[in-house]
Amino acid sequence: MDTIASLFSFITWPVSWVIVQFHTVYGAIFGPDTGWAWGLSIVSLVILIRICLIPLFVKQIKATRGMQTLQPEMKKIQERYKNDKQRQSEEMMKLYKETGTNPLSSCLPILAQSPFFFALYHVLNGIASGDTIGAVNQDLLESAQKAHIFGAPLASKFFSSESDVTALSASLTDVRVVTAIMIVLMSASQFFTQRQLMTKNVDTTVKTPFMQQQKMLMYVFPVMFAVFGVNFPVGVLVYWLTTNVWTMGQQMYVIRNNPTPGSKAQAAYLERLHKSLTEHGKTRGRGQKAIVKAIVAKGRDRNEFERKFINGLNKSGLAAQPDGNVEKNDAAVAAQSADGTTAATTTAPKRQQPKRQSKSQRQARPAGESEPKTSLSKSDEPQDAEPGSKQENKPAAAAKKPAQKPGGGRSKAQSGQRKGPQRPKSPSKK
């Protein structure tokens, strides 16, 4: 670690100078020899560096989303040229050039932050060994050696020897407890940061190897921090824990306000946006207007959450415009009833068709029995007539079957049978 830190010695003086300036301010408040003065100086250094790296963080987000979009095309190239690695690399580079995507852009914040990290490690290691480095003179060196953060010296490590810790006026137990807690918090913050990226801000409609790599890094990075953390001074642990917390908060803000299309975070964001638009009747701020404009411009290429959002606006009587604003949709409002529900059209009941009887049922009906009434029958009169009515005076023989003609002639066909000789039901019966 010392060899790597020496490679970034060119930036040691600027980093030490910034720490000294912050220490001057916090030393006037908390005292120059306190752990608060030196600890807050390191935290302020982290915040200053991360603010300067915000443009790179924006490029990282765009590069990561661009890589997620290109994963299906990259997979096709790998399958097409799986036996020709050189042609595969050429097609990959061609794809990156056409889409303007740089795979290294996702690592820019880490790469840009690493020189400051190693420079701070070099300064704190010099404090532990009693060497003046950069803007840290002898007086500041003695003050830093006296500073303790929760009982642990600023330059002590988890594996520091008891004699080194005693020389810094501390106990080995306090040093190991404090460093162990900080290492656990550092690893946990890194794990949570990667986990919320995988569970909330990844397009669930695309299953690519890139997602598997990110899932693997979610478990690898915390282990790496835990392994290397035991060799970091307390001041460096403060630096790395602060930058992890900053990254976690920054990512939570981005996921909430600018989520990846097709992710669960986008579904939650569009629900909040729909509620805000229906409540106020207009877009509020350039961020909401940009989101609505991008969704409208997609047209038929919208994902499930975006189509649901547009349909929800239409049901609420609003229409999204190409410029990102929303206006009242008069057609949608007219189609709704006074109570807010769409008027339902009433239809007449279907006419019930009579059940058709089979030929065997018609032949088996007794001679004096009439056909059953159906819903199509014209007569709806009751069967039992009142005394004195017209039905009572009708002759009873009218409902019966007419008698056969004298002379033994062939009788008329029964009700439900055809005239003439009947065919046998089966060839075996005659």
Side-chain angles (χ1 to χ4, degrees), residues 315-354:
K315 291 180 180 180
S316 301
L318 299 173
Q321 304 299 318
D323 59 353
N325 293 314
V326 293
E327 297 180 356
K328 288 186 177 181
N329 188 1
D330 296 333
V333 175
Q336 293 182 346
S337 59
D339 58 352
T341 58
T342 305
T345 57
T346 57
T347 57
K350 293 183 179 181
R351 188 175 182 181
Q352 187 177 2
Q353 298 294 335

Side-chain angles (χ1 to χ4, degrees), residues 24-303:
T24 303
V25 176
Y26 293 119
I29 301 173
F30 301 101
D33 300 337
T34 60
W36 286 103
W38 286 101
L40 290 176
S41 298
I42 297 174
V43 171
S44 300
L45 173 67
V46 174
I47 295 174
L48 178 63
I49 293 174
R50 295 309 300 265
I51 291 174
C52 295
L53 294 179
I54 287 178
L56 294 179
F57 181 75
V58 174
K59 288 185 178 181
Q60 179 192 22
I61 294 174
K62 292 181 179 180
T64 303
R65 293 183 180 179
M67 291 296 294
Q68 291 177 352
T69 306
L70 293 179
Q71 286 302 310
E73 298 296 330
M74 294 172 62
K75 190 174 182 180
K76 292 180 181 178
I77 293 175
Q78 291 175 352
E79 293 177 352
R80 185 180 302 173
Y81 304 105
K82 59 182 179 180
N83 297 326
D84 191 351
K85 298 297 182 181
Q86 183 178 357
R87 182 65 183 278
Q88 185 181 118
S89 301
E90 293 176 357
E91 293 295 330
M92 288 286 189
M93 297 303 296
K94 184 179 178 181
L95 180 64
Y96 294 150
K97 187 176 181 180
E98 291 176 353
T99 56
T101 304
N102 187 0
L104 298 178
S105 298
S106 59
C107 303
L108 283 178
I110 297 177
L111 295 176
Q113 190 179 349
S114 59
F116 300 96
F117 168 78
F118 288 112
L120 178 63
Y121 179 87
H122 197 197
V123 172
L124 294 174
N125 194 47
I127 293 174
S129 59
D131 299 330
T132 58
I133 296 178
V136 179
N137 54 29
Q138 188 63 32
D139 294 337
L140 292 173
L141 177 63
E142 294 176 359
S143 175
Q145 289 180 340
K146 295 177 183 178
H148 292 66
I149 297 177
F150 300 108
L154 198 67
S156 59
K157 305 176 185 178
F158 183 85
F159 286 135
S160 295
S161 62
E162 188 172 358
S163 58
D164 294 338
V165 173
T166 304
L168 296 173
S169 303
S171 66
L172 186 60
T173 303
D174 293 340
V175 170
R176 291 188 175 178
V177 169
V178 172
T179 53
I181 292 175
M182 295 182 71
I183 290 171
V184 170
L185 293 177
M186 185 174 63
S187 301
S189 59
Q190 178 67 31
F191 176 79
F192 182 78
T193 301
Q194 194 70 17
R195 186 177 184 275
Q196 72 173 349
L197 180 65
M198 290 299 302
T199 56
K200 295 182 179 180
N201 205 38
V202 173
D203 188 357
T204 56
T205 60
V206 181
K207 304 295 183 182
T208 61
F210 179 76
M211 294 177 60
Q212 299 297 329
Q213 295 175 4
Q214 293 294 318
K215 188 176 181 180
M216 181 181 65
L217 293 177
M218 180 174 65
Y219 297 99
V220 172
F221 275 158
V223 174
M224 291 176 59
F225 276 107
V227 171
F228 290 108
V230 294
N231 295 316
F232 291 161
V234 173
V236 174
L237 293 178
V238 172
Y239 175 93
W240 208 250
L241 177 60
T242 306
T243 192
N244 279 358
V245 173
W246 176 279
T247 302
M248 183 173 61
Q250 194 176 43
Q251 186 171 271
M252 289 177 64
Y253 176 82
V254 171
I255 290 176
R256 178 176 175 83
N257 296 281
N258 191 15
T260 300
S263 62
K264 295 180 180 179
Q266 189 195 31
Y269 175 80
L270 292 179
E271 288 181 3
R272 296 193 304 270
L273 181 59
H274 177 265
K275 184 178 180 180
S276 176
L277 293 178
T278 53
E279 182 178 353
H280 299 93
K282 61 179 182 180
T283 53
R284 305 178 67 189
R286 292 190 301 176
Q288 291 186 355
K289 185 178 294 185
I291 294 294
V292 175
K293 183 178 179 180
I295 294 176
V296 174
K298 287 185 177 181
R300 295 184 178 181
D301 295 333
R302 302 185 189 111
N303 57 46

